[in-house]
Amino acid sequence: ELGVLSTPFAKAIMDPACKGTVAFLDERNATPFTRMWCVLEYFVTIHYGATKQARQLFDCCTIVPEGECESADGSQNERCAGILLDQGNGDVVDGGSDLPVPDTAWFPSAI
């Protein structure tokens, strides 16, 4: 397992200047987690990043498909980008979207 920490990905994540890791997920499938280097980055972030003086954050970004979110008024979102933000205390919050009114779409629970 120590060999994992000698990889360039792990060295970058474990560098004290690195504050977090971001996973860019495709619509609906989360295929980055089928790629070995993405799984390695996730593992190092979650397992070893928790041992850093300032815990390593793990954020997820994705494309929110059109019509994925329904607002209280019954309208549905346009296709947009969304982000899920690690708060550093075990909680995550929905960071909204890149729409003009960011809270008209949110991070899809299916992803």
Side-chain angles (χ1 to χ4, degrees):
E1 200 168 308
L2 290 175
V4 168
L5 293 178
S6 66
T7 64
F9 294 112
K11 286 180 180 180
I13 290 168
M14 295 305 292
D15 187 295
C18 182
K19 304 297 181 206
T21 306
V22 179
F24 292 93
L25 309 174
D26 57 336
E27 292 179 61
R28 306 201 191 281
N29 298 321
T31 55
F33 297 116
T34 64
R35 297 182 188 123
M36 189 51 119
W37 65 89
C38 295
V39 173
L40 173 68
E41 289 174 347
Y42 174 74
F43 174 76
V44 170
T45 298
I46 300 303
H47 185 72
Y48 292 109
T51 67
K52 290 173 68 173
Q53 186 173 355
R55 186 181 157 273
Q56 184 79 3
L57 303 175
F58 187 73
D59 298 335
C60 295
C61 300
T62 192
I63 296 298
V64 181
E66 182 176 351
E68 180 77 19
C69 305
E70 185 175 338
S71 297
D73 66 2
S75 64
Q76 295 189 321
N77 69 287
E78 300 172 44
R79 185 174 187 263
C80 62
I83 186 166
L84 196 62
L85 301 168
D86 184 343
Q87 297 300 289
N89 61 3
D91 293 332
V92 293
V93 296
D94 191 322
S97 70
D98 64 345
L99 294 173
V101 180
D103 62 350
T104 56
W106 44 88
F107 200 88
S109 60
I111 297 178

